[in-house]
Amino acid sequence: MIPAGERSGATGSGGRRGPEGTGQFSALGLYLADPRVEASVLGLLEAVEGELRATVTSADPFVTEAARHLVEAGGKRFRPLLVALGAQFGDPTREEVVPAALVVELTHLATLYHDDVMDEAAVRRGAPSANSRWTNSVAILVGDYLFARAADIAADLGPEAVRLQARTFSQLVHGQIAETVGPRAGDDRVAHYLHVIAGKTGSLIATSARFGGMFGGASQEHIEALAGYGETIGVAFQLSDDLLDIASESVQSGKTPGTDLREGVPTLPVLYALASDDSDAASVRLRKILATGPLVDDDLHAEALGLLRESPALKRARETVRSYAEDARAQLAPLPQHPARRALESLCDYIADRTS
């Protein structure tokens, strides 16, 4: 999922730092230099925000309350943002653009309800999670309701939108299953992890960017470029969140540093450390601690966190994040020079820099 950023400035194309953007975009490191494009994007996001509440309303007041729970908790609306930016390469005023953004955001929100059940989460976006406020069964059913609302809106957009939303949903489910089951014997654990992220995170972000181009009326070449960018930047953002969980000294990642480590979640730096054959004392000690699983002991947790922060594994993970960010930038090559393209490039700079 897309995490909160740690600073308001963002680097523009070529690594130059641009002026601070609006508060709406600063936490994502997004730099919109053109006031007209910024106004267009903000207008689309405001329309989406208003429509979200109306869209999840049910004849049953309880369903309405539960379905609005995460809508009203807020969020960065990163997926609608990519729809809005993708539409700039065509005509962002087309009436299909806002419904397309609703489809991807509703799909995303539905996955959060299901994720919290699987993770047994108590809090989501600073509020009690739906499963802790009500029950697991209610949270699952509300997630299903949101998927249904997304499908209903997609049907109004046409068969291709329905097909893409269904295929994206399939990728999301496959990614979750792969994460739940874990790698098979003999599988490369890093490759498996990257596959999971591409399914769980990258697929919907790719569809978001694709929908923006599609329903804005962009050319097929530009639509494919946007979709490729979306999947790659989605993976890069999730990997950078992994690094912030280890490298940050504050709550830059939106949670207490070392949370994944404490819970035994094998993120990229941990997987690199476990796969390392470095024979120095620090690397050997780190592998021994990580092999024990969740680090609930405070002393072991602190020791492992310190060793990871100084490890070659963290350096290698940073290089991987930068590689994905640069790959995402390369995906934009077919797009014309446009303020929206420069905004998308600024995300690449931000991700490459935020964990360095």
Coordinates of all heavy atoms in Angstrom, one line a residue, residues 188 190 243 268-269 271-273 275-277 311-323:
D188 N 12.9 -19.2 -5.3 CA 13.7 -18.0 -4.9 C 12.8 -17.1 -4.1 O 11.8 -16.6 -4.6 CB 14.3 -17.3 -6.1 CG 15.2 -16.1 -5.7 OD1 14.6 -15.2 -5.0 OD2 16.3 -16.1 -6.1
V190 N 13.2 -14.1 -2.8 CA 13.1 -12.7 -3.3 C 12.2 -12.6 -4.5 O 11.3 -11.7 -4.6 CB 14.5 -12.2 -3.6 CG1 14.4 -10.8 -4.2 CG2 15.3 -12.1 -2.3
L243 N 11.8 -0.5 3.3 CA 13.1 0.1 3.7 C 12.9 1.1 4.8 O 13.6 1.2 5.8 CB 13.8 0.7 2.6 CG 14.8 -0.2 1.8 CD1 14.1 -1.3 1.1 CD2 15.6 0.6 0.8
L268 N 12.0 -7.1 1.9 CA 13.1 -7.3 1.0 C 14.5 -7.2 1.7 O 15.3 -8.1 1.5 CB 13.1 -6.2 -0.1 CG 14.1 -6.4 -1.2 CD1 13.9 -7.7 -2.0 CD2 14.1 -5.2 -2.2
P269 N 14.7 -6.2 2.6 CA 16.1 -6.2 3.2 C 16.3 -7.5 4.1 O 17.4 -8.0 4.1 CB 16.0 -5.0 4.1 CG 15.0 -4.1 3.5 CD 13.9 -5.1 3.0
L271 N 15.0 -10.5 3.5 CA 15.2 -11.6 2.6 C 16.6 -11.6 2.0 O 17.3 -12.6 1.9 CB 14.2 -11.6 1.4 CG 12.7 -11.9 1.8 CD1 11.8 -11.6 0.7 CD2 12.6 -13.3 2.3
Y272 N 17.1 -10.4 1.7 CA 18.5 -10.3 1.2 C 19.5 -10.7 2.3 O 20.5 -11.4 2.0 CB 18.8 -8.8 0.8 CG 18.3 -8.5 -0.6 CD1 18.0 -7.2 -1.0 CD2 18.2 -9.5 -1.6 CE1 17.6 -6.8 -2.2 CE2 17.8 -9.1 -2.9 CZ 17.5 -7.8 -3.2 OH 17.1 -7.5 -4.5
A273 N 19.2 -10.3 3.5 CA 20.1 -10.7 4.6 C 20.1 -12.2 4.9 O 21.2 -12.8 5.1 CB 19.7 -9.9 5.9
A275 N 19.5 -14.4 2.7 CA 20.1 -15.1 1.5 C 21.6 -14.9 1.4 O 22.3 -15.5 0.6 CB 19.4 -14.7 0.2
S276 N 22.1 -14.0 2.2 CA 23.5 -13.6 2.1 C 24.4 -14.7 2.6 O 24.1 -15.5 3.5 CB 23.8 -12.3 3.0 OG 25.2 -12.1 3.1
D277 N 25.6 -14.8 1.9 CA 26.6 -15.8 2.4 C 27.8 -15.0 2.9 O 28.9 -15.6 3.1 CB 27.0 -16.7 1.2 CG 27.6 -16.0 0.0 OD1 27.7 -14.7 0.1 OD2 27.9 -16.6 -1.0
S311 N 23.8 -3.1 7.4 CA 24.1 -4.3 6.6 C 24.2 -4.0 5.1 O 23.6 -3.1 4.6 CB 23.0 -5.4 6.8 OG 21.8 -4.9 6.2
P312 N 25.0 -4.9 4.4 CA 25.0 -4.9 2.9 C 23.6 -5.2 2.4 O 23.3 -4.7 1.3 CB 26.0 -6.0 2.6 CG 26.8 -6.1 3.8 CD 26.0 -5.9 4.9
A313 N 22.8 -5.9 3.1 CA 21.4 -6.2 2.6 C 20.6 -5.0 2.4 O 19.8 -4.9 1.5 CB 20.7 -7.2 3.6
L314 N 20.7 -4.0 3.4 CA 19.9 -2.8 3.2 C 20.4 -2.0 2.0 O 19.6 -1.4 1.3 CB 20.0 -2.0 4.5 CG 19.1 -0.7 4.5 CD1 17.7 -1.1 4.4 CD2 19.4 0.1 5.8
K315 N 21.7 -2.0 1.9 CA 22.3 -1.2 0.7 C 21.8 -1.9 -0.6 O 21.4 -1.2 -1.5 CB 23.8 -1.3 0.7 CG 24.5 -0.6 -0.4 CD 26.0 -0.7 -0.3 CE 26.6 0.0 -1.6 NZ 28.1 -0.1 -1.5
R316 N 21.8 -3.2 -0.6 CA 21.3 -3.9 -1.8 C 19.8 -3.6 -2.1 O 19.4 -3.4 -3.2 CB 21.5 -5.4 -1.7 CG 21.2 -6.2 -3.0 CD 21.4 -7.6 -2.8 NE 21.0 -8.4 -3.9 CZ 21.0 -9.7 -4.0 NH1 21.3 -10.4 -2.9 NH2 20.6 -10.3 -5.1
A317 N 19.0 -3.6 -1.0 CA 17.6 -3.3 -1.1 C 17.4 -1.8 -1.7 O 16.5 -1.6 -2.5 CB 16.9 -3.4 0.2
R318 N 18.2 -0.9 -1.2 CA 18.1 0.5 -1.7 C 18.4 0.5 -3.2 O 17.7 1.2 -4.0 CB 19.1 1.4 -1.0 CG 18.7 1.8 0.4 CD 19.6 2.9 1.0 NE 19.1 3.4 2.3 CZ 19.7 3.2 3.4 NH1 20.9 2.6 3.5 NH2 19.2 3.7 4.5
E319 N 19.4 -0.3 -3.6 CA 19.7 -0.3 -5.1 C 18.6 -0.9 -5.9 O 18.3 -0.5 -7.0 CB 21.0 -1.1 -5.3 CG 22.2 -0.4 -4.7 CD 23.5 -1.4 -4.7 OE1 23.3 -2.6 -4.9 OE2 24.6 -0.9 -4.4
T320 N 17.9 -1.9 -5.3 CA 16.7 -2.5 -6.0 C 15.6 -1.5 -6.1 O 15.0 -1.4 -7.2 CB 16.2 -3.7 -5.2 OG1 17.3 -4.7 -5.1 CG2 15.0 -4.3 -5.9
V321 N 15.3 -0.7 -5.1 CA 14.3 0.3 -5.1 C 14.6 1.4 -6.2 O 13.8 1.7 -7.0 CB 14.1 1.0 -3.8 CG1 13.2 2.2 -3.9 CG2 13.5 0.1 -2.7
R322 N 15.9 1.8 -6.2 CA 16.3 2.8 -7.2 C 16.2 2.2 -8.6 O 15.7 2.9 -9.6 CB 17.7 3.2 -7.0 CG 18.2 4.3 -7.9 CD 19.6 4.9 -7.4 NE 19.4 5.6 -6.1 CZ 19.1 6.8 -6.0 NH1 18.8 7.6 -7.1 NH2 19.0 7.4 -4.8
S323 N 16.5 0.9 -8.8 CA 16.3 0.3 -10.1 C 14.9 0.3 -10.6 O 14.6 0.6 -11.7 CB 16.9 -1.1 -10.0 OG 16.6 -1.8 -11.2

